[in-house]
Amino acid sequence: MLKDFKPVLGILLRFIIIYLVLLIAYQFYLNSGKDSGLDSFSRMIANQVTSLQNVIGYPTELYDDVKNEQVWFYVKQNYVTRMVEGCNAISVIILFVSFVFAFYKGVKTFVFVGVGLVLLYIINLLRIVGLNIVMSDHKEYGKMFHDFIFPAIIYGSVVVLWLIWIKFFALKHENS
């Protein structure tokens, strides 16, 4: 009976191991810079969001709050949002990578993960820019966009990428 579930158990075990390894590695990364404020990856994203907003006509500056491990976006002369570690989408990326590698298919796995990471990174940048614009121009919709619309976009993108991976790459030979 266990023989019937062996492929599923293998996939599940790979997912759990990869997820835990990536999660622990990320936690080590976060702990290594604990006293210096916002982590460097999140800060890089905040800087890129600031540059992008300045280009599209939303004058933006960043203000550090090292003690609270965050930076504030100062847009159009108002503090509209703050960037914390959770805004960098690393937890979503870890989930994406773990799932794709659970269905490992050789070199194409690495290519798909690479393309997926670039897409998720861009979507996350645009998500933060979008939230800053909403909070700057239509603050009354800010909670709805922060809590529902933008999470649906980033998680929905992950689900779409997973479906593409499964349908066109991971199970392609089994369906042919």
Side-chain angles (χ1 to χ4, degrees), residues 6-25:
K6 191 176 179 184
V8 173
L9 292 175
I11 290 168
L12 186 59
L13 185 61
R14 269 193 308 258
F15 172 82
I16 291 169
I17 290 170
I18 293 166
Y19 182 78
L20 288 176
V21 166
L22 292 174
L23 196 62
I24 290 167

Side-chain angles (χ1 to χ4, degrees), residues 41-42 44-50 52-53 73 83 87-89 118-132 150 154:
F41 186 73
S42 298
M44 178 183 71
I45 291 173
N47 287 327
Q48 291 171 346
V49 166
T50 299
L52 188 55
Q53 288 177 193
F73 289 102
M83 174 86 177
C87 300
N88 65 19
V118 169
L119 286 172
L120 290 173
Y121 188 86
I122 292 168
I123 290 167
N124 190 51
L125 281 178
L126 296 176
R127 176 184 73 90
I128 297 168
V129 168
L131 182 60
N132 285 336
F150 289 127
I154 193 82

